[in-house]
């Protein structure tokens, strides 16, 4: 992208921090500083909230068809600039360009989906008990929405929320992750050109705790939608109590990938490669634990090792790269710590990561076997290219092992026995289950978790409900 926005987009204007404070955004592959973005002061966050409230009062009156047209225009504008946005995502996030292109198209699909949903926010008429009474149910926009998003999908995590909010008639303030704010700022510029009025979509940057607590304490912000770690999600739940905010929380996962003895091993390994190593293992639905039936554990592991070795690690902007750098040194250190602790705790490591001359953020795939539920690598979200494998003997054991986590986002089941696959899927305590499938995220389907992976859904016909409130009118005709 030739022009990289480096100010905040507030009420239809580019604004810096009045203090002049900024922080750098760097390329995780090269350490190049891509831009410096503002660190807003508390009063500037409050001003952004106030201007969003003013914009909301007009935006909710815009006819749904007009909002739909604007959402479609955003989708089309994104599709016209896939390459531009993909380059920016790869530059600030590190993922391979091919994956970044996929993220832009996926994001455009959300705007198109919500352009279709915007015109179908239908209420109800409910029969009343008496002939002179009518009961009407209206669906209305919740109000100003604040979004806090992570770095792993800088455009898509925003698109899933923003599309639904704009369709519902809400105004929106986003605080993107400090590692990847540039894609969000570029999206704000694109949305303004596509017709989103001033103040309806704002992007602000700065200290997360300060901004988060201002969102939470403001009575004008009626909803907070968050994608990120369970740890931060729990802080936000506590903070939301004082103003009783509506929340959507898309939190961390610990996805099991259960392979039964009757599975097609080749198909399962290909699913594993996509489900484990996409974005260098840094997605919330990435496989965290492989659970493989004793009878095929050897064959599955050998094939997974062979395929893992083929993956090319490098700078995401190079065409050959399949695994880019991890986002930060801290993220790389966590992955190394989990591998080391698994080794100490008795696991075997038939495929060790190989050191990379480009630096420690470039981590090649590794495969760890003899993993058990007491190990840190079982309990923690790895968020890196490490395949941790445990085995099981019976279906009940597989289900119990798969469910032995406080998280409940995504799970995968591989079996050629349809009734086994369905029975097991129904018993898995997860919001999403892929059966012989790891490509589970699509606009038509409700994305989201249960247990400590959060609540609320994004995408599908359900996603817009998170941005609407019900009002019922009881009318007597004297
Ligand atoms: P994170 O540390 O929770 O950060 C997410 C966002 O929250 C960032 O913008 C961060 O800003 C902000 N934040 C941190 N502390 C905050 C506070 N006290 N108040 C308000 N905001 C605060 O998560 P991450 O490491 O960026 O992202 C990875 C996590 O996201 C993983 O657990 C992954 O599973 C999860 N995730 C879930 C989904 C899903 O749909 N369920 C999708 C993608 C990712 P700062 O960085 O400035 O602190």
């Amino acid at each position: 992208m030739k022009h990289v926005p480096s100010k905040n987009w507030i009420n239809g204007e580019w604004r810096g921090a009045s203090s002049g404070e900024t922080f750098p955004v760097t390329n995780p592959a090269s350490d190049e500083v891509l831009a410096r973005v503002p660190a807003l002061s508390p009063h500037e966050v409050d001003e952004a909230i106030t201007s969003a409230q003013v914009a909301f009062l007009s935006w909710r009156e815009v006819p749904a068809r007009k909002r739909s047209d604007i959402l479609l225009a955003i989708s089309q504008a994104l599709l016209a600039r896939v390459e531009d946005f993909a380059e920016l995502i790869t530059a600030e996030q590190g993922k391979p360009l091919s994956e970044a292109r996929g993220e832009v198209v996926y994001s455009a699909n959300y705007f198109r989906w919500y352009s279709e949903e915007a015109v179908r926010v239908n209420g109800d008429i409910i029969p009343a008990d008496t002939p002179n009474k009518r009961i009407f149910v209206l669906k209305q926009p919740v109000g100003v929405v604040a979004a806090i998003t992570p770095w792993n999908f800088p455009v898509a995590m925003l698109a899933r929320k923003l599309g639904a909010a704009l369709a519902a008639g809400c105004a929106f303030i986003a605080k993107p992750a400090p590692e990847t704010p540039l894609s969000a700022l570029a999206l704000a510029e694109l949305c303004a050109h596509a017709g989103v009025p001033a103040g309806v979509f704002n992007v602000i940057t700065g200290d997360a705790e300060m901004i988060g607590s201002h969102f939470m304490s403001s009575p004008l912000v009626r909803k907070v939608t968050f994608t990120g770690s369970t740890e931060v999600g729990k802080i936000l739940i506590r903070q939301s109590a004082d103003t009783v905010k509506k929340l959507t929380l898309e939190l961390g996962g610990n996805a099991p990938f259960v392979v039964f003895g009757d599975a097609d091993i080749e198909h399962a390994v290909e699913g594993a490669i996509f489900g484990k190593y996409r974005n260098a293992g840094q997605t919330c639905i990435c496989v965290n634990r492989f659970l493989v039936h004793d009878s095929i554990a050897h064959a599955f592991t050998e094939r997974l090792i062979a395929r893992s070795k083929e993956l090319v690690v490098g700078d995401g902007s190079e065409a050959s790269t399949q695994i880019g750098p991890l986002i930060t040194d801290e993220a790389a250190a966590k992955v190394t710590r989990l591998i080391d602790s698994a080794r100490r705790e008795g696991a075997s490591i038939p495929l060790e990561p190989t050191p990379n001359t480009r630096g420690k953020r470039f981590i090649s795939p590794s495969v760890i076997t003899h993993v058990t539920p007491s190990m840190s690598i079982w309990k923690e979200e790895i968020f890196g290219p490490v395949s941790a494998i445990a085995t099981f003997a019976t279906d009940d054991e597989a289900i119990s092992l798969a469910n032995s986590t406080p998280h409940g986002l995504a799970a995968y089941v591989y079996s050629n026995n349809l009734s086994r696959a369905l029975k097991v899927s129904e018993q898995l305590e997860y919001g999403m289950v892929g059966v012989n499938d790891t490509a589970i995220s699509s606009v038509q389907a409700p994305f989201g978790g249960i247990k400590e992976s959060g609540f609320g859904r994004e995408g599908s016909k359900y996603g817009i409900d998170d941005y609407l409130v019900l009002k019922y009118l009881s009318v007597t005709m004297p």
Side-chain angles (χ1 to χ4, degrees), residues 291 294 391-403:
L291 308 175
D294 289 328
T391 56
F392 66 89
T394 66
D395 292 14
D396 285 347
E397 190 190 359
I399 293 163
S400 152
L401 287 171
N403 287 340

Side-chain angles (χ1 to χ4, degrees), residues 148-153 157 160 175-179 206 208-209 212 226-230 232 235-236 239 250-253 283-284 381 383 409 447 453:
I148 301 174
T149 51
W151 45 263
N152 60 351
F153 291 90
M157 294 302 100
R160 294 205 303 210
K175 193 225 69 87
E179 295 85 357
E209 274 183 46
F226 171 73
T227 298
S229 61
T230 295
V232 174
I235 295 172
L236 298 178
Q239 290 180 339
E250 298 283 0
L251 309 179
T283 89
C284 53
E381 201 178 14
F383 247 53
L409 190 60
F447 191 101
S453 293

Side-chain angles (χ1 to χ4, degrees), residues 7 41 52 60 76 84 112 114 120 122 159 225 283 292 356 364 378 386 421 440 464:
K7 291 200 168 155
S41 306
R60 69 176 176 183
Q76 289 167 340
D84 260 7
R112 187 182 61 187
Y114 282 113
R120 316 217 190 288
N122 302 325
T225 173
T283 89
V292 188
N356 193 303
S364 69
W378 177 285
V386 185
I440 60 171
I464 198 165

Side-chain angles (χ1 to χ4, degrees), residues 124-126 134-138 471-475:
D124 273 319
I125 302 173
I126 299 174
R134 299 288 181 272
I135 294 173
F136 301 101
V137 179
L138 313 181
K471 177 183 286 174
Y472 118 74
L473 305 186
S474 179
V475 180

